[in-house]
Amino acid sequence: MQDKFPNVRENIFLSNNDGTLIDSERVVDFPILTFNSGPNNSLIGASELCRDEVVTSEDGPDYKNALVLDIGGTTSDIAALVDGFPRPASSYVYVAGVRTNFRMPDTISAGLGGGSYVKFDS
C-alpha cells in the first residue's frame, strides 16, 4: 500500500468488520474483512453518544441500550447496542446468501439507501 501512497509516511489502518483496526497491507490481501465496517463505525459512534447518557449506580455504569440505523448510499442497516456495546452476530452470518463465519455485529440490511430510487406503481 505504501507504494500507492508514497507521501504517507505512517501506517494506514482501516476499520475491520468487528470494529478493530486492520493494517492496510492486510486489507489488500483480505478486503472481505472490511465489508461491514461502515455500519459498524456507526455503532461505535452511537456507543460514544450513549456514554453521555450513562447513569451511575452502586453497581457501576449503566449504559442505555439503543437501536442504530445507518443509512448508506445503497443500503440501510440496523443493529442494537446492548449495555453500550454492539450486539454480536451468532456464530455465523449470511452474506449474499452465503454462510460465513465473520466476527461482526448482528446487523439487518435492507437494499434501500440514500442513492436508492423508489417507484410506486399506481
Side-chain angles (χ1 to χ4, degrees), residues 91-114:
S91 59
Y92 60 90
V93 179
Y94 283 97
V95 177
V98 177
R99 187 174 165 167
T100 63
N101 188 15
F102 290 111
R103 288 182 314 173
M104 59 187 285
D106 188 11
T107 306
I108 297 172
S109 297
L112 183 64

Side-chain angles (χ1 to χ4, degrees), residues 23-121:
D23 183 275
S24 61
E25 296 297 329
R26 185 160 163 81
V27 171
V28 169
D29 295 331
F30 301 101
I32 190 75
L33 296 177
T34 64
F35 78 91
N36 197 46
S37 61
N40 193 46
N41 287 334
S42 291
L43 282 167
I44 292 169
S47 177
E48 288 300 314
L49 292 173
C50 285
R51 290 187 197 285
D52 291 341
E53 301 298 324
V54 172
V55 177
T56 305
S57 67
E58 293 176 4
D59 298 328
D62 181 22
Y63 296 104
K64 286 190 172 185
N65 299 330
L67 290 177
V68 179
L69 177 63
D70 174 79
I71 301 175
T74 57
T75 62
S76 293
D77 304 281
I78 191 165
L81 287 174
V82 179
D83 293 328
F85 293 96
R87 183 176 66 193
S90 62
S91 59
Y92 60 90
V93 179
Y94 283 97
V95 177
V98 177
R99 187 174 165 167
T100 63
N101 188 15
F102 290 111
R103 288 182 314 173
M104 59 187 285
D106 188 11
T107 306
I108 297 172
S109 297
L112 183 64
S116 300
Y117 290 97
V118 178
K119 180 179 178 184
F120 294 98
D121 293 330

